[in-house]
Amino acid sequence: MNNLTIIYITIAAITALLLALFQYLYKSKLKSNLKYVLIALRAISIFGILVLLINPKFESFTYFDEKPTLVVAVDNSESVSYLNQDEKAREVVNALNTNSALKDRFDIQTYRFGKTVNTLDSLNFNERQSNMALALKQFGEVYANQTAPIVVLSDGNQTYGSDYSYIAKGVKQPIYPIILGDSTVHSDLSIKQLNVNRYVYLKNKFPVEIIANYSGTEAINTELKIWSGNSVVFRKNLQFNASKSSEIVSTALMANSVGVKTYRVELVALDNEKNKVNNIKNFGVEVIDQKTNVALVYDRLHPDLGALKKAIESNEQSSVSILSPKDVLNKVSDFQLIILYQPNNNFKSLLKEIKAQKINTFIISGATTSWSLLNQTQTYFKQAITNQTENFQPSLNRNYGTFIVENLDFNSFPPLISEFGALQISVPHETLLYKSVNGITTEDILLATFEVDATKHAILNGEDIWRWRAQSFLNTNSFSNFDEFINKLVQYLSSNKKRTRINIDYKSFYNGNDDVIISAQYFNKNFEFDNSASLRIELKNKDNQSVREVPLLLTNGNYTVDLSGINAGLYDFTIKHNTESVSASGSFRILEYNVEQQFLNADISKLKSIAAHSNGAAYFSTQTKDIINALVSDNRYKTIQKSTKNIVSLIDWKYLLGLIALSLFIEWFIRKYNGLI
């Protein structure tokens, strides 16, 4: 309560007393001592009302002790068990959780991490990938404003995500790695990295680049082989010693037939080599016999052109040629799809030729689009011409069913510049994106697709799509989600396949540690998306003829099934409806490879590096008592006394209102009883 409030309360008390004295003493006929009781009651009532009007505030403090947090994170990946450190990890976690000195000093929070981070309820060491960078990043954000040292039990071998030694530099908490593994150095050959394109073309050679590593001190000889089935298609002798620990081997292989082709790279093992799993790596390529040719036609330069070309050509099955309307006019038939970027009057002859040859199109409009030309040259859609532009954000239509759309956060995307006014499509169509203004989704079309006269078409009513690609990178640190969205649109538009009631989305082959997720969409007889269907997948392993059935679950508007973890091999699958005779089939191959079994030792140097940089310390799993003593005795981790200030307004104090009411009632009763009313 400040001094001014105290002055107001004092004035209120004096005022209340003076008013009460004036009412009961000045020219009052009441002579008994009862008048002094009435003066007191009246003064209390007036004073209480005036105090409520002043509404003073009172501060109260509550004190409590806050212990520092001890974050314990355990690497739950397969590499820990592969190095025979799983039981030791459990023992260390149990020792940290049950130590009374640690529990008195810290609030212990336990987590486990693999590819993702979860609270620690159990440890099974079966995670197929490990991402320590993600764990350190999340701990650094969650405990940014606390005293929270981080204890990490790990072998330091990360197989997914950013380099954790770089991420650790942004964490403000001390990091205490407990190293799961020994420091013994064994002679070991390994295939560190293998680079190859996913798609190749029939009768073409495709490059293969292999990085072979050696850890050891002796001079050794080995041989690198590439197998295709039971045949060796490439071999090379390699020599390593203490000063030459790696070599890059490059070659080119011929694609002789269409389909998924698998190969095996092998480094012939040493006689005394302990880990031979990392000497072998499988890879696959899909051989295709044709390429999708796309023409991107423009009449003015714009950043959208480069963004579209990069997005489409991220799929090696597609090629983009950026041409002017005049250059593409005489070779329209060379392309499966023509993208018309902001057509104007210079596109007039090209539009007639496209219509005559029935070529699929993707029209992108913007501030300089000639809508009068587009409205005149076709009858499929009409745009109200206002000669005014507006910014519109995208809003995804979850019921869009032509192809599967996922992985994009359209709500975070910046707006596109579009012609103000409604776009009307007069033929059967599906809207993929609606226009959104100030967070309110309208019924106006931003992106739609339609099929007419044996051709497929799409129209995007807005320019600056390059901003979407940039925002997608900011959201995910990768262009892949946006590029995949554009490629699905291009793949649909450039294909002549007829529409089916079940659309499926999958890859032709997966590496051993990839997530194997198959998505599907189901439509009723009117080709409307059905979100109440019961679908199942029948999966057959071609190698051992085993069959399993798994139901598909509805997730984010698509039916999906996660088959991650199935054995390597060739699989056929069929997605069926449980009550209708509708199905869709496909096949894929799982390549045998376990990235978590590629390590022979813990990465001790990197774990010690992040400990030193963060003012922590690294310990081996046999030094549990040492780390407990270090944490308990460190003066940086003290219990802090904190206070909570609670400001209470007097108007919320019910007792004062009761006192005012009681004093008024008693005063009225006394006056009534004594005949003064």
Side-chain angles (χ1 to χ4, degrees), residues 281-299:
K281 190 167 185 179
N282 296 286
F283 71 93
V285 295
E286 184 174 359
V287 182
I288 54 181
D289 60 357
Q290 63 178 353
K291 199 167 191 173
T292 300
N293 293 317
V294 179
L296 179 52
V297 186
Y298 75 101
D299 196 50

Side-chain angles (χ1 to χ4, degrees), residues 478-527:
S478 171
F479 294 113
S480 60
N481 287 347
F482 175 84
D483 293 351
E484 183 179 347
F485 167 70
I486 293 296
N487 275 299
K488 284 184 178 181
L489 180 59
V490 169
Q491 183 180 5
Y492 159 72
L493 293 172
S494 58
S495 169
N496 291 321
K497 290 174 62 178
K498 292 184 178 181
R499 190 172 180 184
T500 60
R501 289 181 59 187
I502 295 182
N503 290 338
I504 52 177
D505 184 25
Y506 67 99
K507 296 178 181 178
S508 55
F509 67 91
Y510 300 85
N511 292 315
N513 283 82
D514 289 347
D515 292 330
V516 183
I517 297 176
I518 297 177
S519 301
Q521 288 180 323
Y522 174 76
F523 305 94
N524 60 24
K525 294 180 180 179
N526 295 324
F527 282 95

Side-chain angles (χ1 to χ4, degrees), residues 197 200-207 252-255:
N197 294 332
V200 299
Y201 296 97
L202 185 63
K203 302 302 180 183
N204 282 0
K205 285 189 174 183
F206 60 94
L253 304 179
M254 177 64 73

